[in-house]
Amino acid sequence: MVQSLDTLQETPSQTAGPYVHIGMIQAHAGMENYYDEELGISPIEEGAKGEVIEITGSVYDGTGWALRDALIESWQPDAMGKFSTQEGADPKVHGYCRFAADSETGEFTLRTIKPGRVGTRHGVMQAPHISLWIVARGINVGLQTRIYFEDEDNSEDLLLSKIEQTPRVQTLIAKKTGEGKYRFDIRLQGENETVFLDI
Amino acid sequence: MSDQGALIARNRNIHPVPYDPGYKTSVPRSPNWALVSMESTASEEFGPRFGHNKLGLYDNNLILNFTRGKAPAVGERILVHGRVVDENNRPVANTLVEVWQANAGGRYRHKKDGYLAPLDPNFGGCGRTLTDENGYYEFLTIRPGAYPWPNRGNDWRPMHIHVSVFGSGFGQRLITQMYFEGDPLINHCPIVATIKDRSQIDRLVAPLDFSKSKPLDFLAYKFDIVLRGRRQTMFENKLEGM
């Protein structure tokens, strides 16, 4: 035998289930005004510095069917690359948002500002990105991924350069569809499967 | 608690398997490719904060919050309480804990739930609170009922409460389910069984806790939660631009 470690183990995950909206987006479950204030409705307030952008997309399963019950959370820094708890961060950018796929169409929309670049421990700047966390019925552990932008220089990015199969990088890059508008589809399984992360 | 420090890598062996035919919906919703692993960055090490000013008086009281104190929900009155700590056994203070659940008859107040058990006009089914400086949280609620679901021919979910926790970094985000000591349905549930290590399943089962129950009022169950910790080392480069 050996000495025991001082560390604990993380609590195991379980699926968020089909009724996740009751706990996290009450209005979407059909319960308006449950709380005085729902959390995470928008990552920005009026007057946030930077370019306002709108990202739309769907989450597709392995058959190509868009999930109608997915819930997504996003997290990002302000236009200067500072997160909301850091000194000097834009007070109009909270950086956090939670949104659901439409229960009829499966489409989601995230309205935010384009994030700035954030550094790494190794002194490399990361390309602008928004972190996502996806939960739903049938997803046993929440899936982490990132949105990058096709009109940014992504060539030096630490994460993107770690993806061995270069064609898969494209699954993390939002495509520009108009002024300030992007499309970002998430494919859980199969052809063009989105890169999911363990970080 | 510090925002600094790389997150300890997730031990995926304690978590459910993503693909499990026993839980049918996981079949088309689980990635085929391996996850891409990398040391955490500021994007995972920082996370959203929620202040007390966002929360209302009854937010952690599911017996009263749907009617804003006017009328109590029907069912077995219970206190659910516990601590949120990280893998280094440090309390996670001032972090948001959210719960949602069915009513005493197993019916959810959600436009997509068509189960024939009735809604309780005085029960909504969600609550939220912030942990205190010791990582402690509590909710007053009613014990949810078991309910059937369309999976295999005759599957029933055990009594459970969904729990969502934030931590101090976005990479610590966790959603899980709390089960109740002694519920025989736990051993028959395909969602529980997505976790392959029995000792890890046991960690989701809340024991009855008479030390916190209030005589002639409510019983109590204890549910402690562990989030990912941060690596602690004297040999860490500072985050660039932090």
Side-chain angles (χ1 to χ4, degrees):
Chain A
M1 291 298 284
V2 298
Q3 294 185 1
S4 59
L5 295 170
D6 292 332
T7 45
L8 303 174
Q9 284 186 310
E10 191 185 12
T11 297
S13 169
Q14 290 270 266
T15 179
Y19 307 127
V20 56
H21 318 95
I22 295 175
M24 294 174 53
I25 307 185
Q26 289 76 30
H28 189 88
M31 298 191 294
E32 277 78 16
N33 306 317
Y34 194 110
Y35 294 127
D36 294 340
E37 183 175 342
E38 280 197 23
L39 300 175
I41 288 174
S42 172
I44 54 169
E45 284 177 33
E46 225 38 63
K49 296 185 188 73
E51 183 195 354
V52 175
I53 57 171
E54 206 171 86
I55 304 162
T56 53
S58 287
V59 183
Y60 297 100
D61 71 12
T63 72
W65 174 251
L67 273 59
R68 267 65 173 171
D69 52 10
L71 186 138
I72 303 175
E73 294 187 339
S74 68
W75 172 240
Q76 65 169 92
D78 67 16
M80 300 303 291
K82 283 203 181 297
F83 290 94
S84 56
T85 53
Q86 289 184 283
E87 205 175 327
D90 183 347
K92 302 287 189 189
V93 178
H94 313 299
Y96 168 73
C97 190
R98 47 172 61 157
F99 46 99
D102 186 273
S103 51
E104 302 297 327
T105 65
E107 289 258 306
F108 64 79
T109 301
L110 171 63
R111 186 176 176 276
T112 185
I113 50 118
K114 176 92 75 87
R117 288 172 190 266
V118 174
T120 68
R121 273 189 186 74
H122 312 290
V124 187
M125 292 307 272
Q126 304 187 76
H129 65 272
I130 297 173
S131 297
L132 296 186
W133 191 65
I134 303 152
V135 295
R137 176 171 65 102
I139 297 176
N140 292 329
V141 187
L143 294 167
Q144 287 171 264
T145 190
R146 286 180 177 183
I147 302 175
Y148 290 85
F149 301 92
E150 74 169 347
D151 52 352
E152 293 285 341
D153 178 4
N154 297 311
S155 57
E156 302 284 304
D157 186 75
L158 191 66
L159 167 71
L160 297 180
S161 63
K162 277 206 184 295
I163 299 170
E164 183 187 346
Q165 298 83 7
T166 310
R168 297 201 74 208
V169 169
Q170 287 306 315
T171 69
L172 297 187
I173 298 182
K175 302 297 181 284
K176 196 159 186 176
T177 56
E179 199 52 48
K181 294 200 187 303
Y182 295 87
R183 178 89 196 169
F184 187 77
D185 286 317
I186 296 159
R187 291 180 176 80
L188 298 179
Q189 186 189 81
E191 199 177 341
N192 296 320
E193 182 176 306
T194 299
V195 171
F196 296 105
L197 310 173
D198 182 28
I199 47 183
Chain B
M1 187 175 37
S2 171
D3 275 334
Q4 306 287 318
L7 294 169
I8 296 171
R10 258 193 171 118
N11 175 4
R12 299 267 164 187
N13 295 328
I14 64 132
H15 285 290
V17 294
Y19 170 86
D20 190 344
Y23 175 25
K24 294 182 183 181
T25 312
S26 75
V27 171
R29 296 187 175 194
S30 46
N32 291 334
W33 286 74
L35 303 176
V36 171
S37 296
M38 191 177 85
E39 182 177 58
S40 66
T41 72
S43 304
E44 293 76 35
E45 292 157 19
F46 289 99
R49 293 292 161 83
F50 306 95
H52 286 275
N53 59 330
K54 304 268 185 198
L55 305 190
L57 179 63
Y58 294 110
D59 282 7
N60 71 337
N61 184 340
L62 287 76
I63 293 176
L64 290 176
N65 69 13
F66 191 62
T67 61
R68 305 207 174 204
K70 289 197 183 70
V74 170
E76 187 180 331
R77 296 162 63 85
I78 59 169
L79 180 84
V80 174
H81 75 100
R83 286 182 78 214
V84 182
V85 298
D86 70 12
E87 289 169 297
N88 298 314
N89 208 358
R90 290 166 189 251
V92 182
N94 300 312
T95 200
L96 185 70
V97 180
E98 296 168 293
V99 295
W100 67 99
Q101 62 169 91
N103 68 21
R107 174 73 185 272
Y108 281 97
R109 189 175 285 279
H110 189 290
K111 58 188 179 185
K112 294 281 184 186
D113 188 3
Y115 183 33
L116 51 77
L119 288 169
D120 174 349
N122 298 330
F123 186 74
C126 72
R128 61 188 188 183
T129 191
L130 292 172
T131 57
D132 70 11
E133 66 276 14
N134 298 312
Y136 184 80
Y137 74 91
E138 59 184 26
F139 291 95
L140 204 58
T141 187
I142 52 96
R143 188 146 87 146
Y147 63 85
W149 58 298
N151 190 55
R152 300 175 305 204
N154 192 16
D155 275 331
W156 292 72
R157 294 303 324 281
M159 301 178 285
H160 65 277
I161 297 176
H162 296 266
V163 183
S164 158
V165 202
F166 276 78
S168 56
F170 194 61
Q172 290 172 293
R173 200 74 182 79
L174 181 74
I175 283 181
T176 188
Q177 299 183 31
M178 175 197 126
Y179 304 100
F180 291 85
E181 178 181 4
D183 184 347
L185 288 171
I186 293 170
N187 290 337
H188 297 275
C189 177
I191 288 179
V192 173
T194 59
I195 299 172
K196 299 308 173 190
D197 179 342
R198 177 72 223 196
S199 67
Q200 297 300 334
I201 293 173
D202 291 341
R203 297 178 62 214
L204 299 184
V205 183
L208 185 63
D209 182 3
F210 277 113
S211 78
K212 288 280 182 180
S213 85
K214 186 177 174 197
L216 305 177
D217 192 344
F218 53 76
L219 277 172
Y221 286 87
K222 188 201 72 149
F223 189 63
D224 289 332
I225 299 160
V226 182
L227 299 180
R228 291 173 72 182
R230 290 172 190 270
R231 212 173 56 215
Q232 295 169 353
T233 164
M234 295 170 66
F235 304 103
E236 192 82 80
N237 294 325
K238 279 201 110 156
L239 279 171
E240 256 336 283
M242 292 292 112

